[in-house]
Amino acid sequence: SRPMKRIIEPLQKMNVSVIDNEGLLPIKIRNENKKHIPINYTLNIGSAQVKSCLLLAAFNIKGTTRIIEKISSRDHTEIMLKYLGADLKKEKNTISLTSPNFLKPKDIIVPGDFSSAAFIIVAVLLSQNSKVKIKDVGLNFYRVGLLDVLKKMKAKITITNKRRFSGELVGDIEVKSSKLIATSVNKNLSPRLIDEYPILFVAAAYAKGISIFQGLDELKFKESNRLKSMANALLDGGVKLNL
């Protein structure tokens, strides 16, 4: 049930033969010996998955493919490709990949996943007399929007020992019990914490005041309506909310 049109349409512009199934899987890709072509493509949504698909599809297409992001999204793919030697450039909101490319093998250290750490962070914030240090967590700018929101909510969070693993920013996160206050999150921040909304809603349920979240449309897509599922779970738990 994951919507596929958002990747089918740009692939067709690249001259890839894709047989559509009303925008859903399964889809068929045929080798019709067409010459695939580089494209300039504007992404209207903040989707790292679509962006990564297009970069990988363009990897051996002769010429320069450009992706213009209206809403910036996580950039793990760009960092990894550049680390491995791809001819990739980023200027403001435009990513350019000139192909064909020949990557160099390198050792890769994978940082701790921030989305997993988020649950521990909020659990400690909401517990009394608690503190924890989570080591070697990935601090990619487009992944740690939750930290910005929690700090606005007066969370006691400190980042130490910053360094880079395979091009990615990494550090240790120190967290202490905190009395959280309500906050508002605008739509521009949503792509930076899209996977952390469930645990952020829990933090907001315990914060003093009324929290307001905007730009949650992306939570309605993919395999299920995650926004509705979260709302139902919160309501079942006695949380007051308006959707």
Side-chain angles (χ1 to χ4, degrees):
S1 59
R2 178 179 284 231
M4 299 299 292
K5 273 195 176 296
R6 54 177 66 175
I7 186 60
I8 290 171
E9 290 175 357
L11 286 176
Q12 288 175 333
K13 291 180 183 292
M14 287 177 158
N15 231 4
V16 177
S17 296
V18 180
I19 299 174
D20 192 356
N21 180 42
E22 297 183 355
L24 301 172
L25 292 174
I27 60 175
K28 294 180 181 177
I29 300 175
R30 290 189 174 176
N31 183 3
E32 297 183 351
N33 294 318
K34 291 182 180 179
K35 183 180 179 182
H36 299 147
I37 57 174
I39 60 171
N40 293 342
Y41 191 77
T42 299
L43 265 177
N44 293 312
I45 56 172
S47 174
Q49 289 94 340
V50 175
K51 176 174 62 173
S52 298
C53 286
L54 296 179
L55 288 172
L56 294 174
F59 216 66
N60 286 312
I61 296 176
K62 188 175 182 181
T64 301
T65 292
R66 294 180 181 86
I67 300 170
I68 300 97
E69 291 187 288
K70 282 194 173 180
I71 302 172
S72 297
S73 61
R74 55 191 61 176
D75 57 355
H76 298 300
T77 302
E78 297 98 294
I79 290 171
M80 181 62 70
L81 289 177
K82 200 161 185 179
Y83 174 69
L84 296 175
D87 187 359
L88 184 147
K89 296 180 177 66
K90 186 170 184 178
E91 296 179 359
K92 294 184 179 179
N93 65 331
T94 300
I95 304 152
S96 302
L97 179 69
T98 303
S99 295
N101 278 277
F102 303 94
L103 300 185
K104 303 165 188 174
K106 287 186 177 181
D107 291 338
I108 296 170
I109 300 173
V110 180
D113 177 50
F114 179 79
S115 295
S116 299
F119 291 89
I120 301 170
I121 291 169
V122 172
V124 172
L125 291 174
L126 301 181
S127 300
Q128 291 185 356
N129 303 317
S130 296
K131 63 179 179 180
V132 72
K133 178 188 282 189
I134 313 170
K135 295 183 177 181
D136 301 336
V137 182
L139 298 175
N140 183 290
F141 174 78
Y142 296 106
R143 292 295 299 276
V144 295
L146 177 68
L147 292 181
D148 293 346
V149 176
L150 290 175
K151 285 180 179 179
K152 276 179 61 181
M153 298 172 77
K154 303 299 181 183
K156 296 175 183 176
I157 299 174
T158 307
I159 308 296
T160 59
N161 196 25
K162 286 185 180 180
R163 57 219 189 277
R164 290 195 180 270
F165 287 174
S166 309
E168 290 278 7
L169 183 63
V170 176
D172 300 339
I173 303 175
E174 298 181 15
V175 189
K176 293 181 180 179
S177 302
S178 304
K179 292 182 179 179
L180 301 180
I181 62 171
T183 189
S184 60
V185 179
N186 66 43
K187 63 181 181 180
N188 294 329
L189 189 56
S190 284
R192 294 184 53 219
L193 50 80
I194 198 70
D195 291 332
E196 286 72 53
Y197 269 118
I199 195 62
L200 176 56
F201 290 161
V202 173
Y206 283 88
K208 185 178 181 180
I210 299 172
S211 293
I212 300 172
F213 303 97
Q214 299 174 329
L216 303 181
D217 287 347
E218 187 66 14
L219 290 170
K220 298 177 184 178
F221 301 113
K222 298 191 178 178
E223 292 82 0
S224 63
N225 186 330
R226 292 176 288 171
L227 185 58
K228 184 177 180 181
S229 298
M230 288 179 228
N232 289 340
L234 292 167
L235 288 168
D236 288 345
V239 178
K240 296 178 182 178
L241 60 87
N242 291 317
L243 188 58

